[in-house]
DNA sequence: GTCTATAAGCAGATAGAC
DNA sequence: GTCTATCTGCTTATAGAC
């Protein structure tokens, strides 16, 4: 039983990076092989289901990071404003300060769309539910809290698209910094 | 000189639709052939530069629609609020009520990214410039007007991503309806 | 667990008949 | 201007040695 040259976690990190840069269709097996440093056949050893399974694993992997970095801070016990600020820090890290595309956007396009609609829509709902909950704690009506949480996610996604298109991450930085204030503003 | 079975404008409409659904990499020549009803060789007769030129033509074609539907209403002489409302109607039509993806998002991904960065970043700038101009007419400081115009474009893009991911265009509709108010709110 | 070599099919693109 | 047939290279995926 020879040892693996690279851990499964590391393989997933490299795959994630490659999918985030090239999208599902653009991430060829050759590119994924190069990104991981593994031969094609080794990749198929890890993922019998081929590219589709690699993408599934990446979605699951990112889901865990999202839980840890973005959702977990919202569930702590503390001041709502502080928890939202902590969430924003997690978002900044999760998207590598605006450098990394969101898989919800990438995999919403083309063939990958049908395949991953459910888990990705689930992530959107998990985020808006959690944020709306924190906002509602401050005494705002539940429906207003929900709309604001949706707006926050929309702003997040839009800022990533604009940052990528213009090559300027300033918009991402500013958008993130303004989200807590918009969420908690007086009704 | 036999007549063409389909006008160049119609060909471009079908190509645009296909690129918007599948993205650049996902839109194979076979799919583009099927979408237009033309054989592969006929497509190459229209576009000697191949798929790249088809994509360029689609970007130019969408640029014209964007000018006509979104930017032109901003340049009319009239009440700023009315002009912004007219712009929003154009946006709603341009994106087919949230059904159609934005090329700024689609072509910002993968290999197409490098190729179209300039015209797409230009479109972002044209929009924010025009909107900021109208907002500034109402007496708001220029830098605030600019930030709000950026926020409007960010919200637009984000709403499209979320609508596509969740399959629910309600967010798009609501986001659009709130943009004029956010742009013109008292400082 | 990793590799080289290779299969089978699809990609973009072209030739040449009509 | 359109088509069928075809070329070349890249794609996903597998076989089998080490």
């Amino acid at each position: 039983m020879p040892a693996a040259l690279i851990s499964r976690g590391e393989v997933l990190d490299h795959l994630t990076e490659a999918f985030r840069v090239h999208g599902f269709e653009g991430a060829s097996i050759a590119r994924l092989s190069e990104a991981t440093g593994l031969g094609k056949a080794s990749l198929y050893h890890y993922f019998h289901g081929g590219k589709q399974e690699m993408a599934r694993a990446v979605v699951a992997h990112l889901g865990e990071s999202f839980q840890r970095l973005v959702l977990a801070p919202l569930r702590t016990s503390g001041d709502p404003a502080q928890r939202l600020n902590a969430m924003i820090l997690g978002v900044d890290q999760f998207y590598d300060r605006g450098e990394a595309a969101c898989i919800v956007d990438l995999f919403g396009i083309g063939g990958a769309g049908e395949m991953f609609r459910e888990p990705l829509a689930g992530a959107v709902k998990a985020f808006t539910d959690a944020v709306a909950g924190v906002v509602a704690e401050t005494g705002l009506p539940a429906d207003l809290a929900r709309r604001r949480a949706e707006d926050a996610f929309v702003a997040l996604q839009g800022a990533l698209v604009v940052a990528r298109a213009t090559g300027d991450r300033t918009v991402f930085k500013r958008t993130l910094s303004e989200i807590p204030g918009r969420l908690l503003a007086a009704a």
Side-chain angles (χ1 to χ4, degrees), chain A:
Chain A
M1 179 168 122
L5 296 184
I6 184 179
S7 75
R8 187 181 162 94
E10 288 173 300
V11 170
L12 276 177
D13 284 339
H14 291 307
L15 289 180
T16 299
E17 165 73 8
F19 275 119
R20 271 181 153 179
V21 169
H22 300 290
F24 181 77
E25 324 250 16
S28 68
I29 300 292
R31 269 205 257 251
L32 296 173
S33 168
E34 190 183 5
T36 55
L38 262 48
K40 295 183 192 179
S42 296
L43 271 182
Y44 280 90
H45 173 79
Y46 279 86
F47 305 96
H48 277 218
K51 184 169 161 176
Q52 228 179 301
E53 194 191 330
M54 297 180 212
R56 262 198 304 273
V58 161
V59 168
H61 184 60
L62 279 174
E64 283 166 29
S65 299
F66 192 69
Q67 283 282 341
R68 181 168 42 83
L69 292 171
V70 179
L71 299 183
L74 294 172
R75 297 206 197 89
T76 58
S77 63
D79 180 49
Q82 281 176 351
R83 283 148 70 195
L84 291 176
N85 284 331
M87 177 272 285
I88 290 294
L89 282 178
V91 166
D92 193 43
Q93 193 179 339
F94 184 73
Y95 293 111
D96 196 12
R97 290 163 214 289
E99 293 274 3
C102 182
I103 211 81
V104 168
D105 181 5
L106 286 173
F107 282 12
I109 294 163
E114 310 301 314
M115 237 159 10
F116 300 107
R117 172 153 308 177
E118 199 180 302
L120 296 180
V124 176
K125 182 161 172 13
F127 177 87
T128 50
D129 283 354
V131 171
V134 174
V135 172
E137 280 181 42
T138 68
L140 289 169
D143 59 338
L144 178 60
R146 166 155 303 283
R147 282 200 303 276
R148 287 191 177 176
E150 266 180 22
D151 290 344
F153 193 78
V154 162
L156 197 58
Q157 293 295 325
L160 285 169
V161 171
V162 172
R164 177 153 31 87
T166 61
D168 173 15
R169 282 159 301 141
T170 313
V171 192
F172 182 72
K173 192 178 153 78
R174 181 170 68 77
T175 299
L176 281 201
S177 72
E178 291 177 1
I179 284 178
R182 289 186 199 164
L183 285 170
L184 298 180

